[in-house]
Amino acid sequence: MKVLALLGSTRENGNSEYLANKIVEGTDHTLVKLADLHIEPIVDKRHAEGGFTMVDDDYEQVVRHMLSHDIFIFATPLYWYGMSGPMKDFFDRWSQYLRDERFNLKEELARKKAYVVITGGASAKVKGLPLVQQFQYIFDFVGMEFADYIIGSGVKPGEVKEDSLALAMAEQWNKLFS
């Protein structure tokens, strides 16, 4: 079982990254920091004659990682009550790659399991729930199983280390993936 952790934070060593690292520690995994990649925002050509055109960026390497892994961990801080910009750009580009006949991406994604890690301020466990629902809708659209989620409390780097419930869940996932 190969785990792909997609980190959406723009902060080095942030709380969502900390939890993701705890989850994948000692497992067969690949960790991708979306903010470190050159991923162009979507230019929506779904209804244009000829459809999408190729984009010269790093997105296709992420698609190839997705195809070669069984489990995805989507880790993002709660930014303005939603996912981070890099994570949103990542999902927006699915509109292009779901139509790319080279990959059969929707069919492939339906074989994967998704887990979500969200971190944010003291009220994140409530204010993050609409984001959990957004992830559910995304996964439903492609037929991917949404297995579980963690919402951790922490704003400044390292504060999530005080969230014993989030840490316990991260440990449970780690055992599941080992």
Side-chain angles (χ1 to χ4, degrees):
M1 167 175 9
K2 292 180 68 175
V3 179
L4 175 62
L6 295 161
L7 305 180
S9 182
T10 58
R11 178 191 294 169
E12 283 292 320
N13 303 311
N15 292 307
S16 55
E17 181 177 347
Y18 179 83
L19 284 178
N21 280 320
K22 283 293 194 190
I23 292 164
V24 300
E25 186 176 21
T27 68
D28 184 6
H29 72 278
T30 303
L31 195 126
V32 175
K33 294 182 179 183
L34 296 173
D36 289 349
L37 300 177
H38 173 72
I39 296 177
E40 291 289 329
I42 189 76
V43 176
D44 189 350
K45 295 187 177 183
R46 287 176 292 164
H47 306 291
E49 189 172 322
F52 288 97
T53 55
M54 295 301 293
V55 178
D56 186 20
D57 67 2
D58 298 328
Y59 195 80
E60 197 161 302
Q61 86 181 44
V62 181
V63 171
R64 293 189 186 286
H65 280 307
M66 291 175 9
L67 296 174
S68 67
H69 289 74
D70 309 298
I71 293 173
F72 302 152
I73 298 170
F74 298 97
T76 182
L78 186 63
Y79 283 169
W80 291 103
Y81 313 104
M83 65 182 69
S84 68
M87 185 70 69
K88 183 69 168 91
D89 283 342
F90 165 80
F91 280 114
D92 284 350
R93 287 289 294 281
W94 279 16
S95 293
Q96 177 182 358
Y97 277 84
L98 288 172
R99 289 164 175 77
D100 191 323
E101 294 175 1
R102 297 174 298 153
F103 296 104
N104 297 316
L105 189 58
K106 189 170 185 178
E107 189 176 298
E108 290 294 326
L109 290 172
R111 297 184 182 119
K112 314 293 181 178
K113 276 189 180 183
Y115 292 78
V116 171
V117 173
I118 299 166
T119 58
S123 299
K125 292 185 188 310
V126 173
K127 293 179 179 178
L129 292 174
L131 179 54
V132 171
Q133 189 173 41
Q134 181 181 9
F135 276 108
Q136 178 70 64
Y137 293 145
I138 291 167
F139 304 147
D140 285 349
F141 184 82
V142 295
M144 188 183 331
E145 179 184 342
F146 186 5
D148 205 355
Y149 69 91
I150 297 172
I151 301 177
S153 294
V155 178
K156 293 178 184 175
E159 285 184 350
V160 76
K161 294 176 186 176
E162 304 302 316
D163 186 338
S164 58
L165 180 59
L167 293 173
M169 288 184 69
E171 186 177 319
Q172 286 178 356
W173 290 8
N174 177 267
K175 288 177 183 173
L176 183 65
F177 302 152
S178 295

